[in-house]
Amino acid sequence: MFKPQLLHCLSSLVLATLSVAASSQSYLAQSALTEILNRGAPILGFDTGCAIEHPTCDWMAKLPSDTKLVHMNLPGTHDTATWNYTQETQDALLGYTGVIPEAKFFQCQEHSIFQMLNEGIRVFDLRFAWNPGNQTIGFHHAQALLAPTTRMEDVFFGLYSWLDKHPSETILVSLNHESGTGTPNNPELQEHLYGIFNSDLGKKYWLQTNGTLGTLGESRGKLILLQRFNYDMLPPSLSNRIGIQLPPDQWTDNGPNITILYNQAEAQFAFIEDYYEIGLPSGSGVALNVQWKLNATLAHLQDATTLNPDQLYISFASSEHNSDVPPEYPRIMALGNGTVPGVNQQMLPWLKERKGQRFGIVMLDFYDSVPGLVEAVIGL
Ligand SMILES: *[C@@H]1O[C@H](CO)[C@@H](O)[C@H](O)[C@H]1NC(C)=O
Ligand SMILES: *[C@@H]1O[C@H](CO)[C@@H](O)[C@H](O)[C@H]1NC(C)=O
Ligand SMILES: *[C@@H]1O[C@H](CO)[C@@H](O)[C@H](O)[C@H]1NC(C)=O
Ligand SMILES: *[C@@H]1O[C@H](CO)[C@@H](O)[C@H](O)[C@H]1NC(C)=O
Ligand SMILES: *[C@@H]1O[C@H](CO)[C@@H](O)[C@H](O)[C@H]1NC(C)=O
Ligand SMILES: *[C@@H]1O[C@H](CO)[C@@H](O)[C@H](O)[C@H]1NC(C)=O
């Protein structure tokens, strides 16, 4: 006999059981994510959200999906992961690194990765190597170990979780192996990395195309790999490649105008300015060092506005002359010394005058200290 009452009771019970199961599952998932994000926090920071009316929050949402990535202006941060590498952090990690040059020579940022994302930064420059113990991959800047227990996976989880909340956006991640750490670059390291990108999770969030930069539409909600490391120790069976390959041996150190052919069949080039170590005689001072760096950066940006509209341009506005007396460490080059303005302040009017033109990827140090700089790069 049909008993609607009973059926109703039963289905309520089933629904209640299901929803308990679902909520305990999402509670578990949430707890796991929280634990991962806490372990990632020394590199990620914490996501305190994004004021919806802020122009840089989801700025890609307004662009048509058929926009080619090579036509876009993408603000990035050089040595992204150094944002919390103050003297206090260095002192706390002396047991791992021994005595190394002061923290100010390594620090290139001061806002966390989550802040950067919410402030419109879309390109990250991450330098990896084994963490102490050679079991997990972590982040470094030359000899400076940035966080001994944060794993690359934790930081990528943070990026995935941010993209879930901002599905209109895309993030480009440049990865290169930091060779100055004293840890080995061995087959295990490369297989571990390969595993991250080729896991189910990795395949969901990393754009899987090899050797091409497509449209914004194809890239929304995803990460794009700029591969500045070699997979030269992998077994041939691990042959999947994603993103674009910018091999370290073709990335001329300190080059003001590097050209890398990353896709021969389709004649796709990357034009890169990475003139960072200003080679002026000792004692040249802030004004001259900044002038040289600005000159190289603006020359390359000028190229980006006028040449090869369908090719990738990457310009680093970041630099140092650490060996100068007195030294111009990254903050001085970017922001000046109080009397002489730095590269960032001097670049701002140049960018504003050319609003609407193509600049490509522009990698910045201490971008946050010059209000409007990110907006000027994007062209907002
Ligand atoms: C930043 O560094 C300071 C000093 O070492 C540390 O106390 C703080 O927890 C770090 N911040 C994060 C988010 O890890
Ligand atoms: C990690 O690798 C370095 C360099 O090969 C080696 O000196 C060190 O002993 C290794 N550490 C551990 C814990 O295996
Ligand atoms: C990926 O692209 C690179 C560069 O274009 C090319 O050398 C390589 O053969 C491609 N790999 C695969 C597995 O298609
Ligand atoms: C900044 O550098 C210039 C030289 O480039 C120098 O004349 C000036 O005194 C410096 N200012 C400060 C505050 O150190
Ligand atoms: C300025 O940049 C141009 C183009 O890269 C270069 O030829 C020239 O030597 C640079 N001059 C100075 C003063 O840096
Ligand atoms: C950079 O190299 C390209 C290609 O060789 C060339 O067309 C361009 O003029 C160069 N730009 C500068 C600023 O030297």
Side-chain angles (χ1 to χ4, degrees):
M1 196 183 16
F2 182 62
K3 285 187 179 153
Q5 211 69 27
L6 180 64
L7 190 66
H8 180 76
C9 261
L10 270 176
S11 64
S12 305
L13 188 67
V14 169
L15 277 179
T17 314
L18 279 177
S19 95
V20 167
S23 78
S24 73
Q25 196 176 39
S26 77
Y27 178 74
L28 258 184
Q30 197 51 53
S31 306
L33 182 61
T34 302
E35 186 185 323
I36 291 169
L37 293 183
N38 282 339
R39 202 166 46 217
I43 301 296
L44 286 167
F46 295 99
D47 188 2
T48 54
C50 190
I52 231 57
E53 66 280 8
H54 201 281
T56 57
C57 188
D58 289 301
W59 63 266
M60 290 175 170
K62 296 191 186 72
L63 298 179
S65 286
D66 62 1
T67 309
K68 285 187 172 172
L69 294 174
V70 292
H71 293 168
M72 289 173 66
N73 294 342
L74 298 163
T77 47
H78 156 260
D79 257 303
T80 304
T82 60
W83 66 274
N84 200 32
Y85 196 72
T86 59
Q87 198 53 47
E88 196 187 347
T89 302
Q90 180 178 90
D91 291 347
L93 300 177
L94 277 181
Y96 295 107
T97 58
V99 177
I100 57 176
E102 284 172 75
K104 67 183 181 193
F105 293 110
F106 299 103
Q107 191 183 0
C108 302
Q109 305 299 333
E110 57 193 355
H111 277 194
S112 75
I113 287 188
F114 280 131
Q115 280 176 304
M116 290 178 188
L117 284 167
N118 292 332
E119 289 163 0
I121 300 293
R122 294 291 178 267
V123 189
F124 296 130
D125 166 25
L126 298 172
R127 320 277 170 109
F128 67 88
W130 287 121
N131 273 328
N134 310 332
Q135 297 293 318
T136 62
I137 301 177
F139 298 98
H140 305 250
H141 181 189
Q143 311 99 299
L145 167 69
L146 304 176
T149 56
T150 298
R151 308 171 312 163
M152 180 180 269
E153 289 90 332
D154 306 323
V155 172
F156 288 171
F157 257 86
L159 302 183
Y160 305 157
S161 74
W162 189 86
L163 282 171
D164 277 355
K165 292 184 223 157
H166 302 271
S168 58
E169 306 302 290
T170 183
I171 304 172
L172 284 71
V173 180
S174 164
L175 283 179
N176 65 337
H177 179 250
E178 193 61 87
S179 57
T181 65
T183 61
N185 184 9
N186 54 19
E188 291 74 24
L189 180 76
Q190 296 189 2
E191 285 185 37
H192 189 135
L193 266 175
Y194 186 90
I196 294 176
F197 298 113
N198 288 280
S199 65
D200 288 345
L201 190 64
K203 287 192 156 146
K204 175 168 152 57
Y205 283 98
W206 290 86
L207 195 71
Q208 292 295 304
T209 53
N210 176 28
T212 53
L213 287 170
T215 63
L216 176 59
E218 295 157 6
S219 317
R220 294 194 199 273
K222 295 195 185 283
L223 301 161
I224 298 173
L225 178 64
L226 308 183
Q227 187 193 322
R228 283 185 67 185
F229 59 92
N230 282 325
Y231 272 137
D232 52 350
M233 294 178 229
L234 282 183
S237 60
L238 303 182
S239 64
N240 191 39
R241 296 291 178 273
I242 61 167
I244 66 169
Q245 283 120 52
L246 304 171
D249 60 329
Q250 293 178 44
W251 188 296
T252 314
D253 188 46
N254 218 24
N257 193 11
I258 305 163
T259 304
I260 298 179
L261 175 63
Y262 63 83
N263 181 331
Q264 189 151 22
E266 293 171 36
Q268 294 295 296
F269 292 91
F271 295 97
I272 303 157
E273 176 270 310
D274 188 23
Y275 174 60
Y276 65 93
E277 185 68 61
I278 312 304
L280 288 168
S282 187
S284 296
V286 179
L288 207 53
N289 276 283
V290 167
Q291 185 196 315
W292 273 63
K293 174 59 195 181
L294 190 69
N295 175 53
T297 306
L298 297 186
H300 202 256
L301 286 172
Q302 181 75 44
D303 281 4
T305 64
T306 49
L307 307 176
N308 307 307
D310 294 326
Q311 304 288 1
L312 177 66
Y313 273 80
I314 307 178
S315 306
F316 284 76
S318 49
S319 60
E320 66 190 31
H321 189 172
N322 284 342
S323 60
D324 201 5
V325 184
E328 285 84 26
Y329 41 90
R331 186 188 295 269
I332 302 258
M333 289 300 291
L335 303 177
N337 67 354
T339 318
V340 176
V343 172
N344 289 2
Q345 291 98 336
Q346 297 195 45
M347 192 167 57
L348 181 60
W350 191 98
L351 293 168
K352 281 183 163 171
E353 277 162 26
R354 288 163 185 78
K355 183 176 164 161
Q357 300 191 19
R358 192 277 299 260
F359 304 130
I361 294 176
V362 184
M363 302 299 280
L364 305 161
D365 275 356
F366 299 102
Y367 70 91
D368 55 284
S369 286
V370 174
L373 185 58
V374 170
E375 288 87 336
V377 169
I378 299 170
L380 292 176

